[in-house]
Amino acid sequence: MRVTLKDIADEAGVSMMTVSNVVNGKRARVSPETIERIQRIVAERGYVPSASARSLAAKSSRLIGLLVPAADEDSLMISPHNVAIVGLIERELRKGGYHLLLRGISQPAEVAEALQSWSLDGAVLLGFLDEEVDRLAASGVGKVSLLAIDSYSDNPLTTGVRSDDYTGALLAARHLLGLGHREIVFAGPAFSDVGVVHQRYEGFRAAFAEAGLSWSERLVTVSTTDHASGLALGLGLAGSHPDATAVFATADILAIGIMEGLREAGRSVPGDVSVLGFDDLDLSRYVTPKLTTIAQDIPRKAAIAVRLLLAAVERAEHPADPITLDVRLITRESTAAPRAAQ
């Protein structure tokens, strides 16, 4: 049987208000002896404060939603990069005394439903395209604070944090060009005129312009961001781009699949084709060859996301501009000079 606040108060011979104050750390007007007695009884009886009662008293649920895309009949659409983000956000929220509610969203109307049904204090949007962020942010969220990760949306209803995608791709292309590659495939998901992949595409092209070199859009390969798609791309690369000596993939998991596909097709990495990714997932250090990649500071991204969101939740602070985090090139074994240049 659950021990209640009244049970503790009756045994201690004090009011329920006194017990509540001690349990919640408001002890300025309670004698040391009473505090000690209440704490002893709480420990002996195994009393656990009711989260719902605390929420009602504080007018806060202490719940933060993490909303991710979900097709109607499929599981949640979470990439390895976003899986890492989810774990780190949960840790940061736990430190701040908040709980995480993970919810898949297939229709914009589901955002308002989630926010209202669970009385969420705020929500993080993760893995949505910019146009989806705009629709979600406008779908009846009221005054609930929203934060979009890896978004270039300028919707005033959201705050945001992202990595410097343009510079990351610029560094990637500079590295490959510096090794002597010229026929470089750009592999990633379909993209529009805004968003993460568009920024990486523009940064990639800028490196060629900076070097006074031309680059053809025929070298763009559209692929979903997963290992299976990378595997298929690597297997077919000799047929689709026979002259390519390097591939820049917009995500590590895609790059790793490409390397596996190339090996299955009888081509070596980096001997025949260099491969460069984006994210610096733990996996990139364990594959063979180890993956050259653009490193995002994922733990810092998660920490800043939580700090910004909780500032909006608790103090109604709303930064006018998104936070953009630096990236860096990590050179490992999957890139080398093309054989013609060696």
Side-chain angles (χ1 to χ4, degrees):
M1 185 174 179
R2 182 183 177 89
V3 179
T4 67
L5 204 67
K6 185 177 185 302
D7 295 332
I8 302 298
D10 289 345
E11 186 169 338
V14 297
S15 69
M16 290 175 58
M17 180 62 73
T18 299
V19 175
S20 177
N21 286 336
V22 171
V23 168
N24 291 296
K26 301 175 182 179
R27 303 169 183 173
R29 298 183 180 181
V30 186
S31 70
E33 294 80 9
T34 300
I35 293 172
E36 183 180 355
R37 184 165 70 256
I38 290 172
Q39 289 178 329
R40 175 177 53 79
I41 296 170
V42 165
E44 290 174 352
R45 300 289 298 274
Y47 172 72
V48 178
S50 167
S52 59
R54 281 182 165 180
S55 296
L56 286 171
K59 297 182 180 179
S60 168
S61 67
R62 310 295 289 183
L63 277 175
I64 298 295
L66 201 155
L67 312 182
V68 298
D72 288 332
E73 298 179 356
D74 295 328
S75 60
L76 301 182
M77 299 162 64
I78 309 182
S79 69
H81 164 266
N82 288 350
V83 168
I85 287 280
V86 170
L88 290 163
I89 285 177
E90 192 281 330
R91 183 187 70 184
E92 295 298 321
L93 286 172
R94 188 165 12 107
K95 288 179 183 177
Y98 286 81
H99 303 277
L100 182 70
L101 174 71
L102 180 63
R103 171 68 183 265
I105 299 295
S106 58
Q107 300 293 332
E110 294 175 7
V111 174
E113 176 191 335
L115 298 177
Q116 294 163 9
S117 297
W118 294 95
S119 300
L120 300 178
D121 287 343
V124 176
L125 305 176
L126 177 65
F128 293 99
L129 300 175
D130 285 352
E131 53 266 32
E132 293 174 321
V133 169
D134 288 340
R135 288 198 297 270
L136 296 176
S139 58
V141 299
K143 295 182 179 180
V144 176
S145 300
L146 297 179
L147 181 136
I149 293 181
D150 294 332
S151 172
Y152 287 82
S153 168
D154 57 3
N155 192 303
L157 295 176
T158 65
T159 59
V161 59
R162 64 203 182 205
S163 295
D164 191 342
D165 298 293
Y166 180 95
T167 298
L170 180 70
L171 293 173
R174 281 177 179 170
H175 173 68
L176 294 172
L177 290 171
L179 291 172
H181 296 280
R182 296 296 180 267
E183 289 285 308
I184 306 171
V185 169
F186 179 95
F191 56 92
S192 61
D193 292 338
V194 293
V196 168
V197 180
H198 173 76
Q199 288 293 317
R200 294 178 187 178
Y201 173 72
E202 291 298 327
F204 181 81
R205 290 202 313 166
F208 283 83
E210 176 184 83
L213 299 169
S214 61
W215 179 79
S216 172
E217 290 191 4
R218 66 179 174 78
L219 290 166
V220 172
T221 298
V222 175
S223 171
T224 53
T225 309
D226 55 47
H227 179 272
S229 297
L231 179 65
L233 195 160
L235 281 168
L237 191 68
S240 60
H241 298 94
D243 297 325
T245 61
V247 178
F248 168 56
T250 59
D252 282 353
I253 192 64
L254 179 60
I256 290 167
I258 290 170
M259 290 199 299
E260 185 174 339
L262 286 166
R263 286 195 299 272
E264 290 191 12
R267 309 185 75 188
S268 67
V269 178
D272 295 317
V273 181
S274 287
V275 179
L276 196 153
F278 201 116
D279 286 332
D280 194 30
L281 299 176
D282 288 343
L283 188 60
S284 66
R285 295 186 285 276
Y286 305 143
V287 294
T288 302
K290 293 180 176 62
L291 180 65
T292 296
T293 187
I294 300 300
Q296 305 188 62
D297 192 339
I298 298 176
R300 185 162 178 250
K301 184 192 289 186
I304 290 176
V306 171
R307 176 171 60 80
L308 290 177
L309 183 60
L310 295 189
V313 168
E314 296 173 352
R315 299 187 295 276
E317 296 179 6
H318 196 293
D321 298 313
I323 303 296
T324 301
L325 304 180
D326 291 339
V327 296
R328 59 194 177 97
L329 172 71
I330 303 292
T331 305
R332 296 195 181 102
E333 301 166 354
S334 67
T335 54
R339 283 186 172 148
Q342 293 176 357

